[in-house]
């Protein structure tokens, strides 16, 4: 309700418990809140956002456009306890799922190859989930994400939560 619609527009309906509904109900910081970087410095342009989601961004320079898309989807799935659905492919094609990560396995990357090694205790806590996401942000991007996404055949079929993506280096993704 905080973001008004232009005249003659209506907000699309979303299914209850859907990703779109979850996105619409994310907590927002107060009106006119600044956008801060991972190092707690204000982002250069403060005139290009309408609202700021009240969510931690960590202390490392990791979250770019595709990472934000993956973060939102993973946060939704984690909030619903859909642990088996949280997985992303590294740019080299290696599938990195949170279920395996939470059982104590960690990816070991050597050159352009990755494999799982048991090196931690079982832990499905939110803190460990955030550690998993930092790993994802390091090895995934628009190129790998674009290969995982399902294409919406027609623009009229788009729904809240769909992604515009151009995979590449650089690429771009927006939710």
């Amino acid at each position: 309700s905080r973001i008004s619609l232009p005249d003659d527009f209506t907000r699309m309906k979303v299914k209850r418990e859907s990703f779109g509904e979850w996105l619409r109900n994310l907590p927002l910081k107060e009106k006119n809140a600044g956008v801060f970087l991972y190092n707690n410095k204000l982002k250069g342009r403060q005139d290009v956002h309408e609202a700021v989601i009240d969510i931690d961004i960590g202390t490392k320079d990791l979250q770019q456009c595709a990472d934000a898309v993956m973060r939102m989807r993973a946060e939704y799935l984690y909030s619903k306890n859909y642990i088996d659905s949280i997985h992303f492919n590294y740019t080299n094609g290696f599938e990195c799922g949170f279920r395996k990560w939470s059982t104590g396995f960690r990816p070991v990357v050597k050159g352009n190859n990755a494999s799982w090694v048991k090196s931690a205790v079982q832990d499905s806590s939110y803190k460990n989930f955030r550690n998993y996401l930092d790993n994802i942000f390091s090895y995934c991007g628009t190129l790998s994400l674009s290969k995982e996404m399902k294409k919406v055949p027609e623009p009229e079929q788009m729904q809240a939560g769909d992604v515009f993506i151009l995979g590449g280096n650089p690429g771009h993704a927006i939710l």
Side-chain angles (χ1 to χ4, degrees):
S1 63
R2 178 154 139 203
I3 299 174
S4 301
L5 294 174
D7 292 339
D8 300 324
F9 280 76
T10 57
R11 201 172 305 277
M12 293 173 63
K13 294 190 183 304
V14 292
K15 291 182 184 173
R16 205 161 132 58
E17 299 292 315
S18 69
F19 183 45
E21 181 188 56
W22 183 85
L23 287 169
R24 285 187 181 171
N25 290 290
L26 284 170
L28 299 177
K29 292 189 176 185
E30 69 279 354
K31 190 170 178 60
N32 299 318
V35 176
F36 287 86
L37 302 173
Y38 70 96
N39 58 8
N40 210 29
K41 292 184 179 178
L42 274 174
K43 181 179 175 288
R45 298 265 323 257
Q46 292 292 314
D47 62 338
V48 294
H49 65 277
E50 178 64 30
V52 180
I53 298 169
D54 192 3
I55 191 170
D56 80 279
I57 57 168
T59 58
K60 299 174 187 169
D61 187 13
L62 294 176
Q63 294 183 56
Q64 308 300 319
C65 59
D67 306 310
V69 169
M70 292 182 285
R71 169 92 188 264
M72 291 296 98
R73 185 66 182 174
E75 289 276 0
Y76 164 73
L77 294 169
Y78 187 86
S79 76
K80 300 297 182 189
N81 201 31
Y82 298 151
I83 303 302
D84 291 330
S85 296
I86 303 170
H87 57 84
F88 299 96
N89 295 335
Y90 285 7
T91 302
N92 70 0
F94 177 77
E95 184 179 320
C96 187
F98 181 62
R99 170 66 72 198
K100 187 130 186 161
W101 178 284
S102 70
T103 62
F105 284 85
R106 297 295 180 269
V108 175
V109 178
K110 292 182 182 172
N112 197 33
N113 296 310
S115 60
W116 289 105
V117 173
K118 176 83 168 165
S119 61
V121 298
Q122 185 166 331
D123 181 2
S124 58
S125 69
Y126 185 78
K127 181 179 179 187
N128 194 41
F129 169 70
R130 282 292 287 117
N131 290 336
Y132 162 80
L133 288 177
D134 282 352
N135 177 273
I136 292 301
F137 302 153
S138 297
Y139 293 102
C140 304
T142 58
L143 185 60
S144 59
L145 187 60
S146 69
K147 294 176 183 176
E148 293 184 58
M149 307 290 296
K150 295 177 185 171
K151 188 172 182 169
V152 176
E154 300 294 330
E156 298 79 26
Q157 295 174 320
M158 292 188 71
Q159 299 176 28
D162 284 344
V163 176
F164 284 99
I165 189 163
L166 174 63
N169 192 12
H172 195 53
I174 55 174
L175 187 61

